[in-house]
């Protein structure tokens, strides 16, 4: 069964779990839109189209040259994300149980930000405990360099990015990239403004929302001007176009999770110390089920042209 996290929140009978999911969603524009497929096992196998079979015209009494397409088998393994939070019993006695809820909210906010970063920068070759993010997956024509040594952002660059992702339904960026795009597109009257279901202003270009992925759990911009475009100078950023897909149909970009979904457990007061512990764990990963469901525009300097 495929579910958005927001839908899982509505269906949950566990108030603690529902509250945790709500905080996750509120702190991640990615998790708001990523559809999740529940798995019974630990891995998901699928086939990605590699190359189409050959076709040709033929003349009378001529034959065709047989050919077959190329299918690349892929496997995604679930990775365990989560954490534990302890709140001293004295604090709860003196200030009430709402203090524990506030601390739990902070923990979940940090976890959501960590998953935002993993979605972009996750690299299992560096840390096998995390899943591969977009940077580790995108290759070839799905990576567009703005210019050698970096270049100012143009509307043509955004159009080239969207061409690589037909039917894109989100543009992901950092705060600096978001400011560049809105400034550029306002100047050409190409940006539209609406309000999403959370009451937040939503800027869009050609109907595609511009989503700021924000900061990680260390308060550092996930997509800041700190990338090297190839000249050994860390002064550029990236912008991504993605097509979030339907997990039930197993199309495009979607998420994976254990069939039980996110696990939230109140462990109560510990025997080893006077503190109350809450544990959150989520077996999760992402799938790029098509070659054109995401692309990256990189080497963008802090300027527009």
């Amino acid at each position: 069964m495929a579910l958005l996290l927001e839908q899982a929140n509505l269906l949950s009978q566990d108030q603690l779990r529902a509250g945790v999911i709500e905080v996750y969603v509120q702190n991640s524009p990615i998790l708001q839109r990523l559809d999740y497929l529940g798995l019974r096992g630990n891995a998901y196998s699928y086939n990605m189209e590699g190359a189409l079979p050959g076709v040709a015209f033929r003349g009378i009494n001529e034959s065709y040259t047989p050919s077959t397409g190329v299918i690349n088998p892929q496997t995604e393994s679930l990775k365990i994300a989560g954490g534990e939070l302890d709140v001293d019993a004295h604090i709860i006695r003196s200030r009430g149980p709402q203090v524990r809820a506030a601390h739990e909210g902070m923990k979940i906010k940090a976890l959501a930000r960590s998953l935002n970063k993993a979605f972009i920068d996750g690299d299992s070759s560096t840390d096998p405990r995390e899943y591969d993010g977009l940077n580790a997956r995108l290759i070839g024509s799905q990576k567009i360099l703005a210019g050698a040594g970096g270049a100012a952002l143009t509307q043509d660059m955004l159009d080239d990015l969207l061409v690589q992702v037909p039917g894109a339904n989100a543009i992901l960026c950092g705060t600096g990239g978001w400011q560049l795009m809105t400034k550029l597109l306002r100047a050409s009257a190409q940006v539209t403004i609406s309000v999403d279901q959370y009451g937040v202003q939503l800027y869009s270009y050609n109907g595609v929302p511009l989503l700021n992925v924000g900061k990680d759990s260390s308060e550092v911009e996930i997509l800041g001007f700190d990338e090297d475009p190839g000249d050994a100078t860390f002064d550029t950023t990236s912008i991504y176009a993605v097509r979030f897909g339907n997990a039930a149909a197993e199309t495009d970009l979607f998420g994976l999770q254990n069939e039980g979904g996110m696990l939230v457990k109140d462990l109560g007061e510990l025997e080893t110390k006077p503190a109350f512990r809450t544990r959150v764990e989520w077996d999760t990963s992402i799938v790029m089920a098509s070659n054109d469901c995401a692309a990256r525009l990189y080497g963008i300097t802090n300027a527009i042209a």
Side-chain angles (χ1 to χ4, degrees), residues 284-297:
T284 184
S285 187
I286 60 174
V287 174
M288 284 181 55
S290 58
N291 289 316
D292 62 355
C293 65
R296 175 187 181 189
L297 173 63

Side-chain angles (χ1 to χ4, degrees), residues 97-178:
Q98 68 276 7
V99 175
R100 186 181 182 188
H103 281 278
E104 288 171 347
M106 292 170 62
K107 185 71 167 183
I108 302 309
K109 182 177 181 179
L111 289 173
R113 288 185 172 190
S114 295
L115 287 175
N116 287 345
K117 182 171 178 60
F119 186 86
I120 301 294
D121 291 326
D123 189 344
S124 62
S125 66
T126 301
D127 185 352
R129 293 168 293 186
E130 66 182 11
Y131 58 73
D132 287 331
L134 295 184
N135 287 345
R137 296 170 185 263
L138 296 176
I139 59 175
S141 61
Q142 300 310 105
K143 293 176 62 177
I144 305 169
L145 179 61
L153 181 66
T154 68
Q155 190 171 333
D156 285 343
M157 291 179 188
L158 291 178
D159 290 338
D160 291 341
L161 177 65
L162 291 175
V163 164
Q164 294 300 320
V165 188
N169 48 28
I171 295 174
L172 306 179
C173 58
T175 300
W178 187 89

Side-chain angles (χ1 to χ4, degrees), residues 1 61 79 102 126 140:
M1 181 180 182
N61 295 324
K79 305 294 184 177
T126 301

Side-chain angles (χ1 to χ4, degrees), residues 67-87:
S67 65
T68 57
V70 176
I71 296 294
N72 297 319
Q74 308 286 332
T75 300
E76 296 288 348
S77 298
L78 294 177
K79 305 294 184 177
I80 306 170
E84 294 179 337
L85 170 68
D86 291 349
V87 179

Side-chain angles (χ1 to χ4, degrees), residues 263-275:
L263 301 178
V264 183
K265 183 176 289 187
D266 183 352
L267 300 179
E269 187 170 1
L270 303 176
E271 292 185 3
T272 55
K273 65 178 181 178

Side-chain angles (χ1 to χ4, degrees), residues 1-62:
M1 181 180 182
L3 280 178
L4 290 169
L5 279 188
E6 188 175 27
Q7 294 169 332
N9 180 25
L10 295 174
L11 292 172
S12 177
Q13 301 299 313
D14 184 333
Q15 292 302 309
L16 177 59
R17 179 172 181 265
V20 166
I21 292 175
E22 182 178 4
V23 176
Y24 258 112
V25 171
Q26 289 175 349
N27 285 278
S28 174
I30 297 168
L31 298 180
Q32 289 171 11
R33 292 164 172 81
L34 199 58
D35 204 16
Y36 281 88
L37 180 67
L39 298 182
R40 288 189 177 181
N42 184 54
Y44 171 79
S45 297
Y46 64 104
N47 292 321
M48 180 177 286
E49 181 182 286
L52 294 175
V55 295
F57 294 99
R58 74 173 183 86
I60 301 297
N61 295 324
E62 292 180 343

